[in-house]
PDB file of all heavy atoms in Angstrom:
ATOM      1  N   ALA N 176     -37.661 -19.750  43.089  1.00 98.00           N
ATOM      2  CA  ALA N 176     -38.889 -20.502  43.325  1.00 98.00           C
ATOM      3  C   ALA N 176     -38.642 -21.653  44.297  1.00 98.00           C
ATOM      4  O   ALA N 176     -37.587 -22.305  44.253  1.00 98.00           O
ATOM      5  CB  ALA N 176     -39.447 -21.043  42.014  1.00 98.00           C
ATOM      6  N   ARG N 177     -39.624 -21.910  45.147  1.00 97.00           N
ATOM      7  CA  ARG N 177     -39.494 -23.029  46.103  1.00 97.00           C
ATOM      8  C   ARG N 177     -39.733 -24.354  45.401  1.00 97.00           C
ATOM      9  O   ARG N 177     -39.052 -25.332  45.686  1.00 97.00           O
ATOM     10  CB  ARG N 177     -40.487 -22.844  47.239  1.00 97.00           C
ATOM     11  CG  ARG N 177     -40.396 -23.935  48.308  1.00 97.00           C
ATOM     12  CD  ARG N 177     -41.166 -23.558  49.550  1.00 97.00           C
ATOM     13  NE  ARG N 177     -41.098 -24.626  50.528  1.00 97.00           N
ATOM     14  CZ  ARG N 177     -42.020 -25.590  50.656  1.00 97.00           C
ATOM     15  NH1 ARG N 177     -43.064 -25.596  49.839  1.00 97.00           N
ATOM     16  NH2 ARG N 177     -41.883 -26.529  51.561  1.00 97.00           N
ATOM     17  N   ARG N 178     -40.710 -24.378  44.483  1.00 98.00           N
ATOM     18  CA  ARG N 178     -40.994 -25.610  43.746  1.00 98.00           C
ATOM     19  C   ARG N 178     -40.475 -25.476  42.325  1.00 98.00           C
ATOM     20  O   ARG N 178     -40.828 -24.536  41.603  1.00 98.00           O
ATOM     21  CB  ARG N 178     -42.502 -25.884  43.744  1.00 98.00           C
ATOM     22  CG  ARG N 178     -43.039 -26.376  45.085  1.00 98.00           C
ATOM     23  CD  ARG N 178     -44.503 -26.769  44.986  1.00 98.00           C
ATOM     24  NE  ARG N 178     -45.332 -25.586  44.854  1.00 98.00           N
ATOM     25  CZ  ARG N 178     -45.881 -24.922  45.864  1.00 98.00           C
ATOM     26  NH1 ARG N 178     -45.666 -25.335  47.105  1.00 98.00           N
ATOM     27  NH2 ARG N 178     -46.624 -23.862  45.656  1.00 98.00           N
ATOM     28  N   LYS N 179     -39.630 -26.432  41.932  1.00 98.00           N
ATOM     29  CA  LYS N 179     -38.998 -26.409  40.610  1.00 98.00           C
ATOM     30  C   LYS N 179     -39.237 -27.754  39.929  1.00 98.00           C
ATOM     31  O   LYS N 179     -39.058 -28.810  40.527  1.00 98.00           O
ATOM     32  CB  LYS N 179     -37.495 -26.169  40.736  1.00 98.00           C
ATOM     33  CG  LYS N 179     -37.124 -24.881  41.459  1.00 98.00           C
ATOM     34  CD  LYS N 179     -35.626 -24.795  41.710  1.00 98.00           C
ATOM     35  CE  LYS N 179     -35.269 -23.572  42.548  1.00 98.00           C
ATOM     36  NZ  LYS N 179     -33.823 -23.486  42.840  1.00 98.00           N
ATOM     37  N   LEU N 180     -39.611 -27.668  38.667  1.00 98.00           N
ATOM     38  CA  LEU N 180     -39.867 -28.870  37.872  1.00 98.00           C
ATOM     39  C   LEU N 180     -39.058 -28.801  36.587  1.00 98.00           C
ATOM     40  O   LEU N 180     -39.160 -27.831  35.834  1.00 98.00           O
ATOM     41  CB  LEU N 180     -41.364 -28.985  37.537  1.00 98.00           C
ATOM     42  CG  LEU N 180     -41.751 -30.133  36.583  1.00 98.00           C
ATOM     43  CD1 LEU N 180     -41.480 -31.479  37.224  1.00 98.00           C
ATOM     44  CD2 LEU N 180     -43.211 -30.013  36.173  1.00 98.00           C
ATOM     45  N   VAL N 181     -38.260 -29.830  36.337  1.00 98.00           N
ATOM     46  CA  VAL N 181     -37.505 -29.961  35.088  1.00 98.00           C
ATOM     47  C   VAL N 181     -38.231 -30.995  34.238  1.00 98.00           C
ATOM     48  O   VAL N 181     -38.563 -32.087  34.722  1.00 98.00           O
ATOM     49  CB  VAL N 181     -36.057 -30.423  35.340  1.00 98.00           C
ATOM     50  CG1 VAL N 181     -35.304 -30.602  34.020  1.00 98.00           C
ATOM     51  CG2 VAL N 181     -35.333 -29.432  36.248  1.00 98.00           C
ATOM     52  N   VAL N 182     -38.504 -30.669  32.964  1.00 98.00           N
ATOM     53  CA  VAL N 182     -39.180 -31.601  32.070  1.00 98.00           C
ATOM     54  C   VAL N 182     -38.306 -31.830  30.833  1.00 98.00           C
ATOM     55  O   VAL N 182     -37.747 -30.897  30.272  1.00 98.00           O
ATOM     56  CB  VAL N 182     -40.589 -31.103  31.661  1.00 98.00           C
ATOM     57  CG1 VAL N 182     -41.507 -31.078  32.864  1.00 98.00           C
ATOM     58  CG2 VAL N 182     -40.535 -29.736  31.004  1.00 98.00           C
ATOM     59  N   SER N 183     -38.216 -33.103  30.435  1.00 98.00           N
ATOM     60  CA  SER N 183     -37.391 -33.438  29.271  1.00 98.00           C
ATOM     61  C   SER N 183     -37.861 -34.738  28.644  1.00 98.00           C
ATOM     62  O   SER N 183     -38.250 -35.680  29.325  1.00 98.00           O
ATOM     63  CB  SER N 183     -35.927 -33.604  29.687  1.00 98.00           C
ATOM     64  OG  SER N 183     -35.116 -33.991  28.580  1.00 98.00           O
ATOM     65  N   ASP N 184     -37.852 -34.767  27.311  1.00 97.00           N
ATOM     66  CA  ASP N 184     -37.970 -36.037  26.615  1.00 97.00           C
ATOM     67  C   ASP N 184     -36.760 -36.902  26.985  1.00 97.00           C
ATOM     68  O   ASP N 184     -35.687 -36.389  27.290  1.00 97.00           O
ATOM     69  CB  ASP N 184     -37.961 -35.839  25.112  1.00 97.00           C
ATOM     70  CG  ASP N 184     -39.275 -35.285  24.570  1.00 97.00           C
ATOM     71  OD1 ASP N 184     -40.189 -35.036  25.373  1.00 97.00           O
ATOM     72  OD2 ASP N 184     -39.375 -35.104  23.343  1.00 97.00           O
ATOM     73  N   ALA N 185     -36.949 -38.211  26.945  1.00 97.00           N
ATOM     74  CA  ALA N 185     -35.820 -39.144  27.082  1.00 97.00           C
ATOM     75  C   ALA N 185     -35.207 -39.381  25.713  1.00 97.00           C
ATOM     76  O   ALA N 185     -33.994 -39.244  25.522  1.00 97.00           O
ATOM     77  CB  ALA N 185     -36.269 -40.452  27.703  1.00 97.00           C
ATOM     78  N   VAL N 186     -36.052 -39.734  24.730  1.00 97.00           N
ATOM     79  CA  VAL N 186     -35.642 -39.824  23.320  1.00 97.00           C
ATOM     80  C   VAL N 186     -36.393 -38.725  22.592  1.00 97.00           C
ATOM     81  O   VAL N 186     -37.626 -38.691  22.624  1.00 97.00           O
ATOM     82  CB  VAL N 186     -35.989 -41.198  22.723  1.00 97.00           C
ATOM     83  CG1 VAL N 186     -35.631 -41.230  21.233  1.00 97.00           C
ATOM     84  CG2 VAL N 186     -35.291 -42.318  23.466  1.00 97.00           C
ATOM     85  N   PHE N 187     -35.654 -37.829  21.956  1.00 96.00           N
ATOM     86  CA  PHE N 187     -36.305 -36.691  21.300  1.00 96.00           C
ATOM     87  C   PHE N 187     -36.888 -37.129  19.956  1.00 96.00           C
ATOM     88  O   PHE N 187     -36.195 -37.687  19.114  1.00 96.00           O
ATOM     89  CB  PHE N 187     -35.307 -35.542  21.164  1.00 96.00           C
ATOM     90  CG  PHE N 187     -34.993 -34.926  22.499  1.00 96.00           C
ATOM     91  CD1 PHE N 187     -33.981 -35.446  23.293  1.00 96.00           C
ATOM     92  CD2 PHE N 187     -35.734 -33.860  22.980  1.00 96.00           C
ATOM     93  CE1 PHE N 187     -33.709 -34.906  24.538  1.00 96.00           C
ATOM     94  CE2 PHE N 187     -35.491 -33.313  24.222  1.00 96.00           C
ATOM     95  CZ  PHE N 187     -34.470 -33.844  25.020  1.00 96.00           C
ATOM     96  N   SER N 188     -38.182 -36.868  19.792  1.00 94.00           N
ATOM     97  CA  SER N 188     -38.967 -37.533  18.750  1.00 94.00           C
ATOM     98  C   SER N 188     -38.624 -37.119  17.338  1.00 94.00           C
ATOM     99  O   SER N 188     -38.918 -37.870  16.399  1.00 94.00           O
ATOM    100  CB  SER N 188     -40.452 -37.293  19.006  1.00 94.00           C
ATOM    101  OG  SER N 188     -40.766 -35.907  18.946  1.00 94.00           O
ATOM    102  N   MET N 189     -38.035 -35.957  17.135  1.00 94.00           N
ATOM    103  CA  MET N 189     -37.725 -35.506  15.786  1.00 94.00           C
ATOM    104  C   MET N 189     -36.243 -35.576  15.443  1.00 94.00           C
ATOM    105  O   MET N 189     -35.857 -35.467  14.282  1.00 94.00           O
ATOM    106  CB  MET N 189     -38.233 -34.077  15.559  1.00 94.00           C
ATOM    107  CG  MET N 189     -39.738 -33.972  15.526  1.00 94.00           C
ATOM    108  SD  MET N 189     -40.442 -34.971  14.199  1.00 94.00           S
ATOM    109  CE  MET N 189     -41.820 -35.737  15.036  1.00 94.00           C
ATOM    110  N   ASP N 190     -35.374 -35.736  16.446  1.00 95.00           N
ATOM    111  CA  ASP N 190     -33.936 -35.860  16.220  1.00 95.00           C
ATOM    112  C   ASP N 190     -33.420 -37.272  16.503  1.00 95.00           C
ATOM    113  O   ASP N 190     -32.427 -37.701  15.927  1.00 95.00           O
ATOM    114  CB  ASP N 190     -33.155 -34.874  17.102  1.00 95.00           C
ATOM    115  CG  ASP N 190     -33.240 -33.441  16.586  1.00 95.00           C
ATOM    116  OD1 ASP N 190     -34.252 -33.123  15.933  1.00 95.00           O
ATOM    117  OD2 ASP N 190     -32.306 -32.664  16.834  1.00 95.00           O
ATOM    118  N   GLY N 191     -34.078 -37.975  17.434  1.00 94.00           N
ATOM    119  CA  GLY N 191     -33.667 -39.323  17.760  1.00 94.00           C
ATOM    120  C   GLY N 191     -32.548 -39.423  18.772  1.00 94.00           C
ATOM    121  O   GLY N 191     -32.095 -40.531  19.087  1.00 94.00           O
ATOM    122  N   ASP N 192     -32.073 -38.296  19.305  1.00 96.00           N
ATOM    123  CA  ASP N 192     -31.013 -38.365  20.302  1.00 96.00           C
ATOM    124  C   ASP N 192     -31.606 -38.599  21.689  1.00 96.00           C
ATOM    125  O   ASP N 192     -32.824 -38.523  21.892  1.00 96.00           O
ATOM    126  CB  ASP N 192     -30.140 -37.108  20.265  1.00 96.00           C
ATOM    127  CG  ASP N 192     -30.925 -35.832  20.535  1.00 96.00           C
ATOM    128  OD1 ASP N 192     -32.127 -35.798  20.197  1.00 96.00           O
ATOM    129  OD2 ASP N 192     -30.344 -34.875  21.087  1.00 96.00           O
ATOM    130  N   VAL N 193     -30.742 -38.856  22.665  1.00 97.00           N
ATOM    131  CA  VAL N 193     -31.163 -39.310  23.984  1.00 97.00           C
ATOM    132  C   VAL N 193     -30.670 -38.336  25.054  1.00 97.00           C
ATOM    133  O   VAL N 193     -29.515 -37.896  25.022  1.00 97.00           O
ATOM    134  CB  VAL N 193     -30.623 -40.720  24.268  1.00 97.00           C
ATOM    135  CG1 VAL N 193     -30.995 -41.202  25.656  1.00 97.00           C
ATOM    136  CG2 VAL N 193     -31.137 -41.707  23.213  1.00 97.00           C
ATOM    137  N   ALA N 194     -31.532 -38.022  26.005  1.00 97.00           N
ATOM    138  CA  ALA N 194     -31.163 -37.129  27.111  1.00 97.00           C
ATOM    139  C   ALA N 194     -30.175 -37.808  28.044  1.00 97.00           C
ATOM    140  O   ALA N 194     -30.171 -39.042  28.187  1.00 97.00           O
ATOM    141  CB  ALA N 194     -32.414 -36.720  27.882  1.00 97.00           C
ATOM    142  N   ASP N 195     -29.360 -36.994  28.695  1.00 97.00           N
ATOM    143  CA  ASP N 195     -28.421 -37.488  29.713  1.00 97.00           C
ATOM    144  C   ASP N 195     -29.184 -37.571  31.030  1.00 97.00           C
ATOM    145  O   ASP N 195     -29.163 -36.649  31.859  1.00 97.00           O
ATOM    146  CB  ASP N 195     -27.229 -36.529  29.818  1.00 97.00           C
ATOM    147  CG  ASP N 195     -26.139 -37.054  30.743  1.00 97.00           C
ATOM    148  OD1 ASP N 195     -26.405 -37.976  31.535  1.00 97.00           O
ATOM    149  OD2 ASP N 195     -25.017 -36.528  30.688  1.00 97.00           O
TER     150      ASP N 195
END
Side-chain angles (χ1 to χ4, degrees):
R177 182 167 178 267
R178 286 185 289 269
K179 303 173 185 178
L180 174 65
V181 178
V182 294
S183 177
D184 284 2
V186 177
F187 290 87
S188 62
M189 291 300 136
D190 284 28
D192 60 330
V193 178
D195 186 344

